[in-house]
Amino acid sequence: MDEIEKVKEKLISYFHKMNKWETENYAKLQSRDDEDPDHFKQVFANAKIELDSIYKEYLTPKERKLTSSHNSLRNPPQYDATIETITSCIMKKNNRIEIETFKNDAIELKNQYVFLKKEGEWRLDNKKTYWNHKNKWESVPI
């Protein structure tokens, strides 16, 4: 398997993990009829631990200003491999691969995921979205 195929598989795996994280934790938030603050605090605390674990597995280790937040759980989830498909993959350098996707939902976004190879392992470094109304790519929460 070549490097681009490895990175494609890693991105799809990341989509699946994030989708599972989002959908399961959103369901936990919705599982209570009342608005018990302790319930919400506990769900968010557990979700943060799970999210940190996913980030540790998939993302480059660095301080991040733009990340998903454990309290940004929503429905529909941000990550869904059934509606976000890979449209192109480019190896920019031996240690950098850029993957572009198209998310076929109501907004129809183009995203770019940048992977860097560090210590022999490909890690997701950042995500950008192409905004048609601005005619440019901008970094967005990963």
Side-chain angles (χ1 to χ4, degrees):
M1 179 184 310
D2 70 5
E3 297 297 291
I4 288 178
E5 289 303 314
K6 287 179 189 175
V7 172
K8 281 180 175 179
E9 283 187 9
K10 189 144 198 173
L11 180 60
I12 292 167
S13 176
Y14 178 73
F15 285 172
H16 287 294
K17 284 251 177 137
M18 288 297 291
N19 180 274
K20 182 179 180 201
W21 173 81
E22 289 176 299
T23 55
E24 287 179 358
N25 284 290
Y26 184 80
K28 289 174 189 172
L29 283 176
Q30 302 303 313
S31 70
R32 298 283 294 256
D33 290 334
D34 60 356
E35 295 191 16
D36 176 10
D38 291 333
H39 169 71
F40 291 116
K41 286 178 188 175
Q42 189 60 51
V43 171
F44 287 137
N46 292 341
K48 181 180 182 338
I49 292 167
E50 293 170 16
L51 183 61
D52 289 346
S53 176
I54 293 169
Y55 281 177
K56 192 174 200 174
E57 181 180 353
Y58 287 92
L59 274 53
T60 55
K62 69 178 183 180
E63 185 178 339
R64 296 180 180 279
K65 296 183 194 262
L66 297 173
T67 61
S68 293
S69 174
H70 61 285
N71 61 1
S72 66
L73 299 168
R74 61 180 184 218
N75 189 27
Q78 178 181 349
Y79 292 94
D80 186 346
T82 64
I83 62 170
E84 187 166 2
T85 56
I86 295 172
T87 57
S88 71
C89 300
I90 301 168
M91 184 168 239
K92 290 289 194 174
K93 299 178 185 174
N94 286 341
N95 66 342
R96 181 185 176 102
I97 292 178
E98 295 175 1
I99 297 180
E100 287 187 18
T101 65
F102 177 74
K103 191 170 183 181
N104 191 15
D105 63 359
I107 301 173
E108 296 186 335
L109 294 176
K110 290 193 296 185
N111 292 309
Q112 180 187 77
Y113 298 87
V114 176
F115 281 81
L116 301 178
K117 192 172 192 177
K118 300 226 177 195
E119 298 177 11
E121 186 176 4
W122 289 101
R123 297 286 188 128
L124 181 55
D125 190 62
N126 67 44
K127 176 183 176 183
K128 296 177 184 176
T129 295
Y130 187 81
W131 301 108
N132 288 324
H133 64 286
K134 295 180 180 180
N135 199 29
K136 69 177 185 175
W137 292 96
E138 288 185 349
S139 291
V140 296
I142 199 164

